[in-house]
Amino acid sequence: MSESIFPADFLWGGAIAANQAEGAYLEGGKGLTTVDMIPHGKDRLAVKLGQEKRFALRDDEFYPSHQAIDFYHRYKDDIALMAEMGFTVFRTSIAWSRIFPNGDEQQPNAQGIAFYRDVFNECKKYGIEPLVTLCHFDVPMHLVREYGSWRNRKMVEFFTHYARTCFEAFDGLVKYWLTFNEINILLHSPFSGAGLVFEKDDDQEQVKYQAAHHELVASALATKIAHEVNPENQVGCMLAGGNFYPWSCKPEDVWAALEKDRENLFFIDVQARGAYPSYTKRLFKEKGITVEMAPGDDDILKNTVDFVSFSYYASRCASADMNEQNSSAANIVKSLKNPHIKASEWGWGIDPLGLRITMNMMYDRYQKPLFLVENGLGAKDEINEQGEIEDDYRISYLREHIAAMAEAIEDGIPVMGYTSWGCIDLVSASTGEMSKRYGFVYVDRDDQGNGTQARTRKKSFYWYKKVIASNGADLE
Ligand code: BG6
């Protein structure tokens, strides 16, 4: 076994999100959120994109988030499994509507605070650092109905009140925070990304960039508040990452890839550098967008994040003549299919070198520590006759990506940690399926919600345990 090139304090662990794991969607005083309204089945995409308004639950539909994997009741056992693998970090999110069921209250819901305090205490019991996302795709529905969600500037106030409440309530338990999960997904999946629903006459680009501005201001203010509450707090932004490759070396394709990258990096450019990037002036002019800013916003945005976190599943590919026909939305960010890389059963590219490329680009651009907070392979698992799950395909995906991350560290990039996505099987955000599994731990539940919810360790569980014990030196 070679020597580890990972720093001694490197954080190893896994990630989940409240809406994909907790279930108990109306327990403990929780209010309904956007994700609770997104059904499994044929209407899912239209609802996620904000094209089909779903403000009430229907009897004829199945909503995977309502029970999910019942983490709400099983968190003690689940965290014990993570501790058994040797986790030193566990990423989860707080459901905003457990703390403020409607989102615009002054007083928080004590049951919600108590629940998360228990979860974080449970982590601490095993020496696991919680890494906590304040908003992972779940906006309280009341804020959507009454205020139009992030189209409305009032959201800044509601979010910062929520953020302060969390920083104060969990002070001493949580020091690593993320404001918005995959903030750039707002552009690609507006309802699930930011609670946006469109009316017929809406200029959608205008609505999306205005909402983005509100989120960016809210994120910067939350960062400031986190530091005021406790200077030890470290706050990160979070990008749905993966560089765009040009389809060819034709200059027009190279330019198309650069523009596509900017579309996503715009958010991180603001959060990590503290101002709108210069290219937005022309972009907004050409799109006919006028972002309304309040006096003082420029100063607020100067509250930059401490680190840059991101998810990486695959690289992307763009050309000058990319269109609806030749690009695929297998992953919610549209991309051409890259013929040089393999793909998962769900058509997501598999490109470990792309991770090293993405990390180098991000560090060159931001010069802030990186944290890879989502990465993994969604795959179908079979239980064999011995009751075991031999997920060698998952091990091989993770091995290659961890090796690529190690290369990035050798390239000189400071990396704080790694939390693989869905360390325990959970509901897929894109499809609502349970069968798209990422976990080291199998959960007995199917796409229709049947199953015992029993947990079983997969082969990858023992493999990851070894990886962590060797601080990334033993990937075999
Ligand atoms: C990211 C999200 O987009 O990718 C997660 O932050 C999501 O919430 C993950 O689950 C994997 O995507 P999917 O669609 O396979 O669940």
Side-chain angles (χ1 to χ4, degrees), residues 118-154:
D118 288 349
V119 169
F120 304 144
N121 268 319
E122 201 62 23
C123 291
K124 290 289 194 181
K125 187 169 114 184
Y126 298 106
I128 298 174
E129 280 295 338
L131 164 62
V132 178
T133 316
L134 286 167
C135 186
H136 191 124
F137 296 160
D138 48 357
V139 177
M141 268 314 283
H142 174 79
L143 298 181
V144 177
R145 287 196 201 97
E146 294 301 311
Y147 303 92
S149 189
W150 285 99
R151 319 174 161 239
N152 194 324
R153 173 96 193 183
K154 272 186 159 302

Side-chain angles (χ1 to χ4, degrees), residues 91-104:
R91 175 178 177 229
T92 188
S93 68
I94 295 177
W96 187 346
S97 74
R98 284 201 192 281
I99 308 298
F100 292 103
N102 283 331
D104 58 359

Side-chain angles (χ1 to χ4, degrees), residues 13-22 69 71-72 75 79 82 87 89-95 98 115-116 119-120 123 128-136 138 162 174 176-179 181 373-374 419-424 426:
I16 65 167
N19 76 83
Q20 291 166 261
E22 286 175 8
I69 59 157
F71 179 78
Y72 187 78
Y75 68 90
I79 293 170
M82 304 308 140
F87 277 28
V89 61
F90 176 59
R91 175 178 177 229
T92 188
S93 68
I94 295 177
R98 284 201 192 281
F115 169 67
Y116 289 108
V119 169
F120 304 144
C123 291
I128 298 174
E129 280 295 338
L131 164 62
V132 178
T133 316
L134 286 167
C135 186
H136 191 124
D138 48 357
Y162 159 60
V174 179
Y176 297 107
W177 296 93
L178 305 178
T179 51
N181 179 63
V373 298
E374 282 188 34
T419 56
S420 72
W421 176 248
C423 42
I424 175 164
L426 37 61

Side-chain angles (χ1 to χ4, degrees), residues 17 20 91 136-137 181-182 238 311 313 348 374 421 426-431 436 438:
Q20 291 166 261
R91 175 178 177 229
H136 191 124
F137 296 160
N181 179 63
E182 295 191 334
M238 198 310 198
S311 61
Y313 293 90
W348 290 26
E374 282 188 34
W421 176 248
L426 37 61
V427 175
S428 155
S430 54
T431 67
K436 191 178 185 193
Y438 288 86

Side-chain angles (χ1 to χ4, degrees), residues 268-430:
I268 311 305
D269 286 349
V270 178
Q271 290 175 296
R273 302 197 303 214
Y276 270 58
S278 46
Y279 60 79
T280 46
K281 213 168 160 197
R282 178 165 182 182
L283 180 84
F284 290 170
K285 195 168 150 218
E286 289 183 356
K287 285 181 184 276
I289 292 167
T290 313
V291 174
E292 215 173 286
M293 304 198 186
D297 280 0
D298 285 353
D299 282 334
I300 292 173
L301 293 178
K302 289 182 186 140
N303 293 288
T304 56
V305 288
D306 303 302
F307 64 94
V308 173
S309 87
F310 65 105
S311 61
Y312 178 85
Y313 293 90
S315 55
R316 300 157 179 154
C317 187
S319 77
D321 42 24
M322 207 170 158
N323 56 44
E324 289 294 321
Q325 276 69 48
N326 61 15
S327 59
S328 123
N331 191 320
I332 203 81
V333 180
K334 286 206 173 108
S335 166
L336 295 171
K337 192 168 175 301
N338 183 342
H340 303 288
I341 59 176
K342 290 201 208 103
S344 79
E345 290 171 84
W346 274 265
W348 290 26
I350 300 178
D351 178 14
L353 181 54
L355 172 60
R356 181 176 174 194
I357 295 169
T358 298
M359 292 179 77
N360 273 274
M361 176 281 298
M362 293 222 288
Y363 190 63
D364 284 352
R365 195 167 177 127
Y366 301 122
Q367 299 283 300
K368 298 215 183 223
L370 302 183
F371 204 141
L372 178 45
V373 298
E374 282 188 34
N375 170 241
L377 179 74
K380 290 201 172 110
D381 289 330
E382 301 286 340
I383 305 184
N384 68 19
E385 279 168 11
Q386 291 72 48
E388 293 158 354
I389 298 132
E390 304 222 357
D391 54 343
D392 294 291
Y393 36 91
R394 183 168 296 107
I395 293 173
S396 130
Y397 177 100
L398 294 170
R399 175 189 293 129
E400 289 179 19
H401 284 78
I402 292 173
M405 175 172 62
E407 293 286 349
I409 292 174
E410 285 210 86
D411 292 333
I413 301 174
V415 186
M416 295 164 68
Y418 175 82
T419 56
S420 72
W421 176 248
C423 42
I424 175 164
D425 293 346
L426 37 61
V427 175
S428 155
S430 54

Side-chain angles (χ1 to χ4, degrees), residues 24-56:
Y25 78 117
L26 289 179
E27 280 180 58
K30 178 180 167 295
L32 281 174
T33 72
T34 43
V35 183
D36 294 327
M37 316 307 288
I38 304 179
H40 182 54
K42 65 174 178 33
D43 293 341
R44 185 173 179 86
L45 189 62
V47 176
K48 271 171 59 96
L49 298 183
Q51 292 161 351
E52 190 175 325
K53 215 180 209 171
R54 214 41 91 75
F55 284 7

